[in-house]
């Protein structure tokens, strides 16, 4: 039988300063990023969601809202 956390989408978290990447379940993203930044970077916003994922989600949202200028 599979575990619920195995079925949840995992989001890539990157920290260029630490040169690390990890994947965490979607519901844990905010806490994981905050804990990493608090523990290793004195609370500064250094680690975060992979910028490629943010761009992709932003593009999807803009497309869904009809903001892409596709003429539809």
């Amino acid at each position: 039988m599979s575990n619920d956390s195995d079925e949840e989408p995992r989001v890539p978290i990157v920290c260029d300063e630490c040169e690390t990447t990890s994947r965490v379940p979607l519901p844990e993203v905010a806490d994981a990023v905050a804990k990493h930044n608090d523990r290793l970077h004195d609370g500064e916003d250094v680690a975060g969601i992979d910028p490629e994922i943010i761009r992709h989600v932003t593009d999807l949202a803009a497309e869904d809202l009809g903001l892409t200028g596709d003429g539809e």
Side-chain angles (χ1 to χ4, degrees):
M1 183 176 266
S2 66
N3 187 341
D4 283 342
S5 64
D6 292 340
E7 296 174 17
E8 292 178 344
R10 298 181 75 81
V11 179
I13 304 299
V14 296
C15 181
D16 292 334
E17 196 168 298
C18 292
E19 297 181 351
T20 59
T21 301
S22 61
R23 289 182 166 274
V24 298
L26 183 58
E28 299 173 20
V29 169
D31 286 339
V33 169
K35 286 177 184 177
H36 175 92
N37 286 330
D38 286 343
R39 189 175 65 246
L40 298 171
H41 304 296
D42 296 323
E44 290 184 44
D45 290 332
V46 177
I49 296 172
D50 184 337
E52 238 354 90
I53 298 298
I54 293 171
R55 278 190 289 278
H56 184 68
V57 170
T58 301
D59 290 346
L60 289 173
E63 185 178 310
D64 191 47
L65 294 170
L67 303 174
T68 58
D70 290 344
E72 290 185 30

